Amino acid sequence: MIQVEKLSPRLLEIYDRLIADAEGIAPLIEMTPAQARAMITPMAMARYASPAVPDVEIRTKTFASGLQALVHTPRTAVEGRKIIFLHGGGWVFLSPHVYGRLCGLIARRCQAQVIA
């Protein structure tokens, strides 16, 4: 449990806004995975997936195992430099698409392909 009285005034304001925004929404633990995905994915995509990072190409690659991944390749990529990005969520919530902007920023900054 968060000890609200120890939060700074700005964090307390954010905390209060989050609590107000959640009014009427069932806790995730009470939802099916499909219900939770339907609620979370649009919000996450709108907030984190865009805008695209300039000079970073994104393509889908299917590996021999059949696993698909998004590959973010910056124009300045150093040959052979690769980073594997594993998103959180236990493969229940969200997807690599949500982290498109973050992966693009990592790719450009590290001059490496980012495989998500």
Side-chain angles (χ1 to χ4, degrees):
M1 181 60 111
I2 296 175
Q3 292 183 345
V4 176
E5 66 277 358
K6 292 187 176 186
L7 293 177
S8 72
R10 178 70 179 127
L11 285 176
L12 185 56
E13 177 186 329
I14 293 168
Y15 176 79
D16 287 342
R17 192 172 339 129
L18 288 171
I19 295 301
D21 288 347
E23 282 295 318
I25 298 174
L28 288 178
I29 197 164
E30 294 176 9
M31 295 181 188
T32 66
Q35 290 170 327
R37 275 192 295 275
M39 184 185 74
I40 293 171
T41 299
M43 292 185 293
M45 289 294 291
R47 182 149 183 111
Y48 302 113
S50 59
V53 178
D55 298 322
V56 176
E57 174 191 10
I58 303 171
R59 62 185 170 81
T60 301
K61 180 177 180 179
T62 302
F63 292 89
S65 65
L67 178 68
Q68 284 194 334
L70 295 179
V71 179
H72 305 259
T73 306
R75 184 177 45 78
T76 59
V78 173
E79 182 67 32
R81 189 178 289 177
K82 299 179 188 313
I83 296 170
I84 297 176
F85 179 86
L86 301 173
H87 72 91
W91 289 278
V92 175
F93 300 118
L94 306 179
S95 74
H97 296 279
V98 170
Y99 299 97
R101 180 161 174 75
L102 175 62
C103 289
L105 292 168
I106 292 169
R108 191 174 67 188
R109 188 64 173 277
C110 296
Q111 296 180 310
Q113 275 192 333
V114 174
I115 303 160

